[in-house]
Amino acid sequence: MTTDLSTHPLVQHYLTILRDRSTQASEFRRCSKCITEVIMVEAAKQLSLDLMQVQTPLEIADGARLSPGVVFVPILRAGLGMLDPAMGVIPGSSVGYIGMERDEATAEAKCYYAKMPDFRASTQVFVLDPMLATGGSAAQCVEQIKAKGAKNVNMVCITAAPEGIAAFEEAHPDVSILAGKIDRELNDQKYILPGLGDFGDRLFNT
């Protein structure tokens, strides 16, 4: 199942700035942070709570806190732009890292680095990648995560192509996708249209 947040006013606002080719790196990073926070607030609806009581200045009140066990796995390098704001929304989370590099000739992804926490105690895993294009990197990442024991996995991205969503859902029908916007299509070079260019290059000004 894919959730598209494109009707959210803040998603529309920040995505427009990200798309603009004149947006400089510092502003690009700021808007990446802001749009990730909006998307993660929506993603957090899936989290479980531990009920508790707290002493207010006046009396005891019923309350709740997030259950532990949330893990973020950003796909390097672009996913790093989503990590800090995601952890700001859901503090106390663990982090795993996976590096996926796309072969520009074949558009196929290869893993070059993986460092994961123990997923046996995890309650929810969020894979972070700003752009779901062909779906190959994300599918390989989730495959590795599942192999290490992760049960509840969600894919979180800023933009996604219909082709990438279809490929990812075929590989992992049990994993939900949360996207800021579903874009139109991929071009012949497998880049998202209208897209926003190379997210990693624009994020890190390279």
Side-chain angles (χ1 to χ4, degrees), residues 88-155:
V89 173
I90 307 176
S93 306
S94 299
V95 180
Y97 295 92
I98 186 163
M100 304 296 296
E101 187 172 30
R102 187 170 82 160
D103 186 313
E104 295 301 327
T106 64
E108 295 182 358
K110 295 181 181 179
C111 178
Y112 65 86
Y113 177 80
K115 181 69 174 179
M116 302 292 181
D118 186 350
F119 287 112
R120 290 174 294 180
S122 67
T123 56
Q124 185 69 55
V125 180
F126 293 107
V127 177
L128 307 176
D129 195 3
M131 305 184 76
L132 183 65
T134 66
S137 296
Q140 286 192 46
C141 176
V142 171
E143 183 178 351
Q144 291 198 36
I145 289 171
K146 286 180 175 179
K148 293 184 179 295
K151 301 299 182 184
N152 299 314
V153 184
N154 290 85
M155 186 73 209

Side-chain angles (χ1 to χ4, degrees), residues 4-19 27-43 78 81-86 89 128-131 156-160 178-183 195-196 199 203:
D4 182 357
L5 301 180
S6 60
T7 60
H8 195 295
L10 289 174
V11 169
Q12 294 184 56
H13 171 77
Y14 291 120
L15 183 57
T16 299
I17 299 173
L18 292 174
R19 289 198 196 280
E27 180 69 355
F28 192 91
R29 287 191 291 269
R30 186 187 72 82
C31 291
S32 299
K33 173 181 181 295
C34 293
I35 197 171
T36 299
E37 289 172 344
V38 175
I39 295 170
M40 285 309 308
V41 166
E42 183 69 21
M82 301 178 71
L83 179 59
D84 282 349
V89 173
L128 307 176
D129 195 3
M131 305 184 76
V156 182
C157 56
I158 293 175
T159 62
L178 185 62
K181 171 71 174 179
I182 299 176
D183 271 353
L196 43 80
F199 195 97
L203 184 71

Side-chain angles (χ1 to χ4, degrees), residues 148-199:
K148 293 184 179 295
K151 301 299 182 184
N152 299 314
V153 184
N154 290 85
M155 186 73 209
V156 182
C157 56
I158 293 175
T159 62
E163 298 93 329
I165 291 172
F168 183 86
E169 289 181 339
E170 182 177 358
H172 301 286
D174 58 325
V175 177
S176 296
I177 301 170
L178 185 62
K181 171 71 174 179
I182 299 176
D183 271 353
R184 188 177 72 248
E185 62 185 352
L186 295 178
N187 65 11
D188 292 340
Q189 289 74 45
K190 306 301 182 183
Y191 284 97
I192 300 175
L193 297 176
L196 43 80
D198 188 303
F199 195 97

